[in-house]
């Protein structure tokens, strides 16, 4: 996937300059790496390393994502990267990972992020194989709240999956990774095919335009994967996965309750407009049935 890497230092300067001009939200304070005491490494992503850090003056614990400017430019993802920062910096919701600020030096760009103590939901799922319905309903409810907030601001996430969901104390969900997110003002439809194969909705597989209901479909895939341990249309052969998505070839195991099965079917509708709204999802009988038991998960 490596690009030829034709870029100049001048381009590089302009791209990162846009970052500071575009958002009009330059942190009042100019941060530098030495403002932070480095803790353990939390993980490594495609474009950088993430550390748990303590801001020296305040003692505030947060996550610091360090990304090499050269790598961002080499892979030609600078526009996506800047858009991701602009979008994430504008979000204020308990279930969306906060981006507190950013800064850069000659080599790296640094993102100051909210810290999520339990890390990726994906890793928790791999360890547990699958989640029970009470836990899943609590997670799905919170992701739906985050998406509803974003959609009200006309932002579509477009890459929902367990790898992009972090978990904090008390099982609080933090939606992260806004690299594919897009600002889509009302009545505009998008054409870019994006996201992850297993989570793609039929309209993207069929190269039709899409709107915010792609996130509702992905939420259905997520709910299925959390309850069953694998996504609903998975196959070794990606062609088969595509066909199963378009046919909505859904096989729900018998251990799934009838209320959960009903909600999965209402999320995974071929017709985008027929998918249940995020508002109604939060009042669905499966949520109502389980929400009385969520207190045990908040301890
Ligand atoms: P990323 O580059 O964003 O994919 O992050 C790489 C890994 O670092 C993730 O898989 C997480 O395990 C961890 N990580 C990223 N951001 C945070 C955060 N804010 N809090 C805790 N862990 C994080």
């Amino acid at each position: 996937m490596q690009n030829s890497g034709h870029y100049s230092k001048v381009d590089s300067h302009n791209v990162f300059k846009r970052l500071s001009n575009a958002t009009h939200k330059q942190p009042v304070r100019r941060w530098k790496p030495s403002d932070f005491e480095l803790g353990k490494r939390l993980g490594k992503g495609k474009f950088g390393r993430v550390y748990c850090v303590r801001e020296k003056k305040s003692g505030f614990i947060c996550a610091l994502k360090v990304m090499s400017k050269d790598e961002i430019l080499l892979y030609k993802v600078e526009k996506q990267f800047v858009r991701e920062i602009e979008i994430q910096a504008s979000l204020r919701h308990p279930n969306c990972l906060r981006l507190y600020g950013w800064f850069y030096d000659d080599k790296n760009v640094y993102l100051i992020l909210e810290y999520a103590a339990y890390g990726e939901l994906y890793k928790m799922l791999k360890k547990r194989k699958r989640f029970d319905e009470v836990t899943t309903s609590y997670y799905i409810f919170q992701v739906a709240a985050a998406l509803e907030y974003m959609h009200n601001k006309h932002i579509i996430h477009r890459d929902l999956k367990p790898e992009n969901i972090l978990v904090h104390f008390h099982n609080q969900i933090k939606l992260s990774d806004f690299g594919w997110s897009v600002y889509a003002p009302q009545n505009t439809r998008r054409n870019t095919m994006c996201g992850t194969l297993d989570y793609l909705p039929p309209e993207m597989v069929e190269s039709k335009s899409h709107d915010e209901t792609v996130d509702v479909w992905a939420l259905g895939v997520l709910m299925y994967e959390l309850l069953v341990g694998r996504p609903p249309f998975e196959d070794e052969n990606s062609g088969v996965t595509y066909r199963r998505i378009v046919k909505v070839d859904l096989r729900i195991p018998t251990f799934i309750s009838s209320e959960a099965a009903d909600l999965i079917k209402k999320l995974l509708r071929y017709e985008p407009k027929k998918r249940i709204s995020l508002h109604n999802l939060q009042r669905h009988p499966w949520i109502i049935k389980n929400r009385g038991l969520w207190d045990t998960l908040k301890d």
Side-chain angles (χ1 to χ4, degrees):
M1 222 214 68
Q2 205 149 331
N3 286 312
S4 54
H6 292 303
Y7 63 88
S8 67
K9 286 287 171 203
V10 179
D11 291 339
S12 151
H13 182 71
N14 285 339
V15 167
F16 295 105
K17 211 169 154 200
R18 176 179 160 207
L19 187 58
S20 46
N21 293 331
T23 64
H24 307 292
K25 282 198 177 140
Q26 266 284 72
V28 180
R29 175 152 175 204
R30 287 194 178 275
W31 298 101
K32 53 186 185 311
S34 60
D35 290 328
F36 300 89
E37 199 178 296
L38 215 59
K40 73 166 183 166
R41 195 166 93 168
L42 299 169
K44 192 177 177 313
K46 204 168 164 201
F47 292 105
R49 295 138 285 147
V50 184
Y51 300 91
C52 183
V53 296
R54 185 198 301 269
E55 199 276 312
K56 285 179 187 166
K57 270 202 185 135
S58 62
F60 189 72
I61 301 284
C62 46
L64 193 68
K65 189 165 172 173
V66 185
M67 286 169 291
S68 139
K69 277 177 166 181
D70 281 350
E71 259 182 52
I72 292 169
L73 291 161
L74 182 68
Y75 287 98
K76 298 194 193 292
V77 289
E78 59 271 26
K79 279 201 188 131
Q80 187 181 334
F81 172 73
V82 170
R83 188 165 67 182
E84 174 175 2
I85 292 181
E86 287 169 351
I87 287 181
Q88 194 169 2
S90 76
L91 301 175
R92 297 278 184 286
H93 187 275
N95 299 119
C96 293
L97 193 80
R98 272 290 298 273
L99 172 63
Y100 297 117
W102 61 88
F103 56 95
Y104 53 86
D105 56 23
D106 288 345
K107 269 180 70 184
N108 299 311
V109 183
Y110 303 82
L111 303 187
I112 311 167
L113 293 160
E114 184 176 6
Y115 170 60
Y118 298 147
E120 270 181 35
L121 181 60
Y122 178 80
K123 287 179 192 152
M124 289 170 65
L125 178 64
K126 288 298 139 197
K127 240 188 240 163
R128 303 254 294 260
K129 304 280 183 243
R130 57 181 195 239
F131 293 105
D132 59 63
E133 295 206 7
V134 177
T135 309
T136 305
S137 63
Y138 188 42
Y139 290 162
I140 292 297
F141 180 85
Q142 294 179 75
V143 178
L147 291 174
E148 191 181 28
Y149 165 79
M150 289 176 66
H151 292 178
N152 283 338
K153 289 171 73 83
H154 309 297
I155 298 168
I156 319 177
H157 186 281
R158 303 203 298 184
D159 197 15
L160 191 65
K161 56 181 171 176
E163 292 88 326
N164 292 342
I165 296 170
L166 297 173
V167 184
H168 195 38
F169 291 129
H170 316 298
N171 281 298
Q172 197 180 15
I173 286 295
K174 301 283 177 185
L175 187 55
S176 78
D177 218 318
F178 300 89
W180 278 114
S181 298
V182 67
Y183 176 70
Q186 255 165 342
N187 303 325
T188 55
R189 291 184 68 85
R190 317 281 309 178
N191 291 301
T192 318
M193 170 116 152
C194 44
T196 305
L197 177 63
D198 280 307
Y199 279 72
L200 286 186
E203 59 271 28
M204 275 192 189
V205 171
E206 294 182 315
S207 305
K208 295 179 185 161
S209 62
H210 64 265
D211 60 15
E212 75 282 355
T213 55
V214 295
D215 287 339
V216 178
W217 172 277
L219 191 59
V221 177
L222 178 73
M223 178 175 163
Y224 185 108
E225 180 164 2
L226 297 184
L227 289 172
V228 179
R230 58 182 158 73
F233 309 110
E234 188 182 60
D235 195 280
E236 279 171 15
N237 178 333
S238 56
V240 175
T241 299
Y242 281 132
R243 279 197 292 280
R244 292 193 60 203
I245 291 172
V246 172
K247 284 198 298 187
V248 196
D249 178 13
L250 193 56
R251 300 161 203 177
I252 300 180
T254 50
F255 62 80
I256 302 294
S257 72
S258 57
E259 294 92 343
D262 179 74
L263 181 53
I264 291 171
K265 286 182 207 152
K266 288 190 163 122
L267 289 161
L268 296 177
R269 296 289 297 262
Y270 176 86
E271 276 286 334
K273 285 204 166 30
K274 291 193 176 153
R275 290 172 201 153
I276 188 170
S277 71
L278 293 170
H279 179 83
N280 288 341
L281 176 151
Q282 292 169 69
R283 286 141 193 88
H284 184 274
W286 183 62
I287 297 291
I288 306 290
K289 175 182 150 187
N290 287 298
R291 67 179 310 156
L293 300 164
W294 291 347
D295 276 350
T296 54
L297 302 169
K298 296 176 192 167
D299 291 342

